[in-house]
């Protein structure tokens, strides 16, 4: 039998008088120290390969389920497509993705990005691949590609046929 503390003694006496042995059992449970919680097992850590595989699956699921708003569809009508000639003899290819309205494949240096239009306050056309952080910006006179994650311009001075024609028209009008 465990030791009874002075605080539990009145409970024990009252219990013996009214209900007998049931109160004794209750008094004993109140005086016994709380049991230590059972040791929890640490989850088995995943290998790097498993984590990368899981991350790729989540990225794919995000890419597949990304929905395009009506505003983004309206912006997609302003996206210039084709092959852009850029500084240092580089090229960027912008093509619409088949059966995915509002999605564009932008290829630069053997890397392909699936991008969607994003709203801007300036009226510039902005395509973004949220997974990689790469952005394609189109303004009337040129286009450029930037990596937001590292804050660096990847390529600049890119012009598509429509942009070159617009620049030529402005230059001719200025003469």
């Amino acid at each position: 039998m465990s030791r009874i503390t002075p605080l539990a003694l009145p409970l024990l006496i009252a219990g013996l008088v009214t209900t007998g042995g049931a109160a004794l059992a209750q008094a004993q449970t109140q005086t016994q120290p709380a049991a230590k919680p059972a040791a929890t097992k640490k989850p088995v850590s995943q290998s790097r390969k498993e984590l990368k595989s899981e991350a790729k699956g989540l990225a794919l699921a995000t890419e597949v389920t990304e929905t395009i708003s009506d505003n983004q569809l309206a912006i997609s009508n302003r996206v210039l497509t084709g092959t852009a000639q850029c500084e240092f003899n580089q090229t960027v290819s912008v093509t619409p993705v088949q059966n995915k309205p509002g999605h564009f494949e932008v290829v630069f240096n053997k890397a392909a990005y699936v991008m969607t239009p994003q709203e801007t306050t300036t009226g510039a056309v902005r395509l973004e691949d949220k997974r990689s952080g790469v952005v394609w910006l189109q303004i009337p006179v040129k286009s450029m590609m930037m990596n937001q994650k590292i804050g660096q311009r990847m390529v600049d001075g890119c012009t598509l046929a429509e942009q070159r024609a617009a620049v030529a028209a402005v230059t001719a009008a200025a003469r």
Side-chain angles (χ1 to χ4, degrees), residues 3 25 27 30 41-42 56 60 62 66 76 78 86-87 89 101 105 126 131-132 135 143:
R3 190 171 172 191
Q30 288 179 355
K41 288 185 176 180
K42 290 185 179 179
K56 285 181 182 178
L60 178 63
T62 302
E66 186 175 356
S76 70
R78 297 187 356 236
C86 305
E87 63 186 2
N89 289 330
E105 182 181 53
R126 176 188 171 102
R131 184 174 38 96
S132 67
V135 176
S143 299

Side-chain angles (χ1 to χ4, degrees), residues 46-78:
Q46 295 177 322
S47 70
R48 285 186 181 260
K49 190 174 184 178
E50 289 171 332
L51 288 173
K52 283 183 181 181
S53 178
E54 186 176 320
K56 285 181 182 178
L58 289 173
L60 178 63
T62 302
E63 185 178 310
V64 169
T65 60
E66 186 175 356
T67 58
I68 301 294
S69 70
D70 291 336
N71 287 342
Q72 289 174 300
L73 280 175
I75 295 167
S76 70
N77 293 329
R78 297 187 356 236

Side-chain angles (χ1 to χ4, degrees), residues 126-172:
R126 176 188 171 102
L127 299 178
E128 182 176 356
D129 181 348
K130 292 185 181 196
R131 184 174 38 96
S132 67
V134 175
V135 176
W136 175 250
L137 293 170
Q138 292 179 341
I139 58 176
V141 296
K142 72 174 186 172
S143 299
M144 71 180 84
M145 185 178 285
M146 298 169 47
N147 186 327
Q148 291 185 137
K149 286 185 178 179
I150 60 175
Q152 189 174 28
R153 202 173 320 175
M154 296 168 68
V155 66
D156 197 1
C158 301
T159 55
L160 290 138
E162 295 91 336
Q163 290 168 318
R164 287 190 290 276
V167 170
V170 169
T171 305

Side-chain angles (χ1 to χ4, degrees), residues 90-93 105-113 145 154-155:
Q90 296 175 316
T91 61
V92 174
S93 171
E105 182 181 53
V106 181
V107 180
F108 173 66
N109 276 349
K110 299 180 183 176
Y113 306 97
M145 185 178 285
M154 296 168 68
V155 66

